[in-house]
Structure formats: structure tokens, C-alpha cells
Amino acid sequence: MIKIQDLRKSYGKVEVLKGISTTIQKGEIIAIIGPSGSGKSTFLRCINLLETPTSGHIWVNEAEVTNPKVNIMKVREQVGMVFQQFNLFPHMTVLENITYAPIMVKGTSKKDAELHGRELLKKVGLSEKEGEHPVRLSGGQKQRVAIARALAMSPEMMLFDEPTSALDPEMVKEVLEVIKSLALTGMTMAIVTHEMGFAREVADRVLFLDDGQLVEDAPPAEFFSSPKSKRAQDFLEKIL
Amino acid sequence: MNLDFTQIVSSIPYILQGIGVTLKIVGVAALIGFTIGILLALCKIGRFKGLKWFADIYTSIFRGTPLILQLLLIYYGTPQLFDIKVTAYTAAVLAFGFNSGAYISEIIRAGILAVDKGQLEASMALGIPYKKMMKDIVLPQALKNILPALMNEFITLTKESAIVTVIGVTDIMRRAYIVGGNTYRYFESLIFAGVIYYLMVIVLTLIGKAVERRMRRSD
């Protein structure tokens, strides 16, 4: 469970998050959408403290990550993250990318980590690529490896920061399929996305952010058919 | 033209023995310099203001004064301050190590800063501790990018090592100079020393290229 209370973030004088509160229940799938510059990514990145909130409180399960005394590294082990730019480690093979953190952070034995790693590679359909370096992979393959890498830590929840925005159009589907299959396992997920069809199909709830504010919070059917706010109506009109 | 290389033939083994002396100085100094360079670079990019200042001042002093002055200070100066004897070899290794540490730290700092910020974020998101992130994720990528600059530094070090001649270390340069004095054949013996230095640099260059090829395999 993730609980967020009056989250604010400023860069100098610019306030990009203006007091956001919401709760993500265990097993829930949240799609975060909104125009660019609305603060969606910042919002997501605050959850595992890749961005330090200016004020407000965030709890991940029992741990209040905004409390400086809490060991954020421990919390991050439970929260997997997938980035727009993949951020695979270029000097490691695919399998090493996946097994590094379990071995070095969790102390899993190399053998177990590789076993689990191969299982995950199979799940994302890339078993034959385990010995390759990331540079030899297509964007879609890289992102699937990145998902496997995050899952290798056996996280309780996953954060996706525009996972398909850097992909060529023909590769979007393969990545979304992997995320969908993950959704079926009951994983708690928060996904910043521009893929409206995907959001409608997969999400339990849609959070619509605009100008640093949480403007709407509704199930996708309701949000996409009858958005309440003028801002959401305008946004949907532009993109659909 | 008064040029006769046969005059120094009998002294060639003597000059060649200097290669070992030079290599021992350069090798150890490079190791010291590289270690100091990494530590200073980590201080410079780290959170602790005190360490950052120390590293900046260190670099500023060792870059801002002549290497030969540092060498003479360590060799002649330290025994005066403290009651210890510094051998010429120790003085040479320390002076070159400290000095190249300053330059190498800047090279490594640049290399670290050039590593994509996403790599740090991915490491943090996975809960990888800072030390391991630096050692296994950041430095290997940084080193790959700065390899040409590092090789440059080691080549400079090899050639600059010739100034140990002034404190009497019998390296290649010193030996060539002695042979020149004994035979009145300065030109021949110095040219011979020059050829040795050049070949050593060529070998270093080749090693550097081989290492670079190895590291670029993942590209």
C-alpha cells in the first residue's frame, strides 16, 4: 500500500506538485495521466525518493519514506521501477543486469539469482538473449529486460515511468503485453502513461494530473466516458 | 659529420638496464597516482564539503607547481624537516605518484560526471548502496570513457620520469647522459635513449588500444 499526503515539490520557485493526496491499495493498478509538464513523473519518482519532496508525507506499507530516519534503501528493495530510458547497465550482460541487485543487495546466491533471472527472462520472452549486452537489443527488448530486472528483486509494487514513450511504435505492444501479464498476477502498480487504450483496459483507477494538482481520481470507464473537470475534458478531446 | 654509433655499442647493455629502473618508477608511481586519483575524484563528487576542499586544494597545489620542484622538495626537503632518509627511488615514486594523482583525479571526475544520470537512478531504485554503485556500475563505465585520457597520462608519466636524473637515479636518461660523458658521444647515446623512450611509449599505446578494444566489446 502507498499512502500519499499533501505531497509538494518545488524546483526553486516553480512548484511542480501542489499538494497531492491519494492512497494506492495493495493489488491496485493506477494509471497516472495528464499533459506533459503536469508533474506525473515527478509524482511517481517521489514515491521511491528519486525526487525529494519539498513537503508532505509518503508511506510505503508501514514505512514513512519522507521520514529521514527511515532507511530508504530497504524501501526501494520493495518498490521496483521501470524507466522511460530503460537505464540498463551497458557493461553487463542481460542476465548480469537482472542478477546483480539480488546478489549484491539481497545476498541471494549466484545460482539462485540466475535461476530466478532465467525464469523472469522466460516470462518476458527473452530467454535466448541472456548473454547479450543491452546494446544488441531493440528498445522493446531492453524495456522487457528492465522489467525483469526490477522483478528480480521480488518487489511488492512496481512503478512505471512512461515505459513505452521512448519506443518505436511497433515495439509498444510487446512491452504493454508484459505489463498486462504482470497486472494479472496481482502486483500493485503505478504507471505513468500516454497509452490511453492501455490505461482504460488495465487500470483500476485513473489519476489525472494537471499543473501539479490531482484533478480527477476515477475508474477508467468513468474517467474516459464522462470526465468531470473541464481540464480533463480538454485533455481527452486533444488526444482521443 | 662526426657521427659514429659503434662508439657506444659496448655501453648499450648499461643503458638498457635503465629500462628496468624507469619501469619500476613509472609502474609504482602510476599505481599510486591511480589510487590517489580515484580517491580524490570520489571526494570531489561526494557530499562531504571538507573532503571536497581537501581534494580541490591538493589538485590545485600539485598542478600549480613544477613537478621537478615537488621531486626536489621530497628528496632534499623532507630529510631536513623530519629525521628520515628518503632514497632517490622513494622520492621519485612519491613525487610522480602524488603529482599524477592530481591529474588523474580530474580525468576520473570528468568520467564519473559523464556517466548517464539514469544509471544512478536505476541503481538507487534497485536499492544498490552507494559504494557498490560506484564500484560496479559507475566506475567501470567511467573508466571505459576515460581510457584514452588515462593512457595519455601514463605516457606523459613515462617520459617525465626522465627528470629523476636530477636526483641521481640511474634511469635510462641518466645512463645515456653518463655514457655520453664517458665516450664524448652525447648525440649517439641520447638518440639511443630517445629511441628506447619512444618504443616504450609505442608499447604503452598498443596496450591501451588492446584494453580499449576489450572494453568496447559491449558496444
Side-chain angles (χ1 to χ4, degrees):
Chain A
M1 189 193 77
I2 301 167
K3 193 175 161 205
I4 294 154
Q5 197 180 11
D6 197 29
L7 174 63
R8 289 170 190 276
K9 172 71 184 177
S10 305
Y11 294 107
K13 283 191 175 147
V14 187
E15 194 173 37
V16 289
L17 294 178
K18 302 173 176 169
I20 292 182
S21 303
T22 189
T23 302
I24 303 172
Q25 298 296 342
K26 187 171 164 53
E28 229 180 350
I29 295 164
I30 304 291
I32 302 160
I33 63 177
S36 55
S38 58
K40 327 180 277 296
S41 283
T42 309
F43 170 74
L44 195 76
R45 292 157 56 86
C46 279
I47 295 176
N48 62 353
L49 284 203
L50 286 189
E51 302 286 348
T52 313
T54 310
S55 71
H57 302 275
I58 300 169
W59 289 265
V60 172
N61 290 334
E62 304 302 304
E64 189 196 339
V65 295
T66 38
N67 178 348
K69 286 191 191 112
V70 166
N71 182 357
I72 183 64
M73 300 310 259
K74 279 282 158 217
V75 179
R76 282 174 179 156
E77 287 178 35
Q78 302 161 21
V79 184
M81 187 157 196
V82 173
F83 300 86
Q84 183 178 353
Q85 296 297 339
F86 329 125
N87 297 341
L88 292 177
F89 305 135
H91 57 303
M92 298 183 186
T93 65
V94 164
L95 190 63
E96 284 165 353
N97 262 281
I98 296 173
T99 57
Y100 177 82
I103 294 171
M104 299 308 277
V105 180
K106 281 192 149 180
T108 312
S109 74
K110 188 163 183 247
K111 195 170 146 249
D112 289 349
E114 286 184 348
L115 211 67
H116 188 204
R118 292 202 171 96
E119 230 169 77
L120 289 167
L121 273 179
K122 201 171 157 196
K123 260 188 207 161
V124 299
L126 290 170
S127 289
E128 77 283 7
K129 299 285 185 194
E130 69 166 67
E132 296 280 9
H133 280 91
V135 72
R136 300 232 175 268
L137 306 180
S138 72
Q141 291 171 332
K142 280 184 199 164
Q143 195 60 297
R144 285 187 279 154
V145 171
I147 293 172
R149 177 177 70 175
L151 290 174
M153 290 295 279
S154 307
E156 289 180 36
M157 48 199 94
M158 289 278 284
L159 309 175
F160 292 87
D161 188 4
E162 302 198 25
T164 58
S165 298
L167 298 177
D168 292 335
E170 71 268 26
M171 291 167 184
V172 170
K173 197 170 161 227
E174 64 186 61
V175 171
L176 291 183
E177 289 301 326
V178 168
I179 300 176
K180 271 186 214 166
S181 70
L182 193 58
L184 296 174
T185 66
M187 174 74 77
T188 311
M189 302 202 283
I191 308 165
V192 172
T193 185
H194 293 291
E195 298 289 328
M196 294 307 145
F198 171 73
R200 189 193 298 233
E201 184 184 347
V202 172
D204 298 312
R205 259 164 66 206
V206 173
L207 305 186
F208 175 73
L209 266 64
D210 189 23
D211 193 26
Q213 290 161 325
L214 178 54
V215 181
E216 293 210 26
D217 177 354
E222 194 181 316
F223 174 79
F224 286 108
S225 56
S226 49
K228 292 189 199 75
S229 64
K230 176 86 173 60
R231 283 192 273 183
Q233 285 162 16
D234 289 348
F235 175 72
L236 289 174
E237 208 162 275
K238 265 184 221 149
I239 57 160
L240 291 180
Chain B
M1 196 162 55
N2 183 9
L3 190 66
D4 185 3
F5 279 91
T6 59
Q7 294 292 315
I8 63 157
V9 167
S10 61
S11 305
I12 282 178
Y14 176 70
I15 299 179
L16 285 177
Q17 276 165 22
I19 295 177
V21 179
T22 295
L23 282 181
K24 241 166 78 187
I25 293 173
V26 173
V28 177
L31 230 72
I32 295 176
F34 190 60
T35 312
I36 292 180
I38 288 186
L39 292 177
L40 286 179
L42 290 174
C43 290
K44 285 176 186 175
I45 58 156
R47 274 172 302 167
F48 301 105
K49 278 263 150 41
L51 289 176
K52 197 178 136 32
W53 280 341
F54 167 77
D56 283 344
I57 291 170
Y58 179 104
T59 307
S60 165
I61 289 174
F62 276 92
R63 271 203 315 200
T65 56
L67 174 56
I68 190 161
L69 178 131
Q70 294 160 20
L71 178 69
L72 294 180
L73 257 183
I74 292 177
Y75 186 57
Y76 294 116
T78 25
Q80 179 195 329
L81 285 188
F82 313 102
D83 197 18
I84 47 167
K85 194 170 161 15
V86 183
T87 67
Y89 172 73
T90 313
V93 163
L94 289 181
F96 292 131
F98 290 166
N99 183 275
S100 68
Y103 287 94
I104 292 176
S105 76
E106 279 298 285
I107 296 174
I108 294 179
R109 187 177 68 93
I112 291 174
L113 292 181
V115 172
D116 181 24
K117 218 169 135 254
Q119 295 288 309
L120 307 184
E121 293 184 347
S123 306
M124 286 194 274
L126 286 163
I128 298 170
Y130 184 81
K131 266 192 202 165
K132 286 179 182 165
M133 172 177 87
M134 276 297 159
K135 180 167 117 350
D136 296 334
I137 312 290
V138 177
L139 281 177
Q141 295 184 52
L143 286 181
K144 191 167 93 175
N145 293 330
I146 63 176
L147 204 71
L150 271 184
M151 280 324 286
N152 234 346
E153 179 58 29
F154 291 142
I155 286 170
T156 304
L157 187 61
T158 305
K159 290 180 304 174
E160 297 280 278
S161 76
I163 68 166
V164 295
T165 295
V166 300
I167 57 169
V169 176
T170 46
D171 67 331
I172 302 167
M173 186 67 200
R174 179 93 195 161
R175 283 162 193 260
Y177 186 65
I178 291 171
V179 169
N182 285 343
T183 57
Y184 297 104
R185 291 281 168 191
Y186 282 105
F187 189 86
E188 289 85 345
S189 59
L190 289 177
I191 284 290
F192 185 64
V195 170
I196 297 178
Y197 279 112
Y198 184 67
L199 289 178
M200 282 167 72
V201 169
I202 296 289
V203 169
L204 261 179
T205 310
L206 291 177
I207 292 174
K209 283 201 171 132
V211 175
E212 204 176 325
R213 257 201 310 278
R214 236 189 104 81
M215 287 181 119
R216 296 243 170 252
R217 275 194 313 201
S218 60
D219 284 356

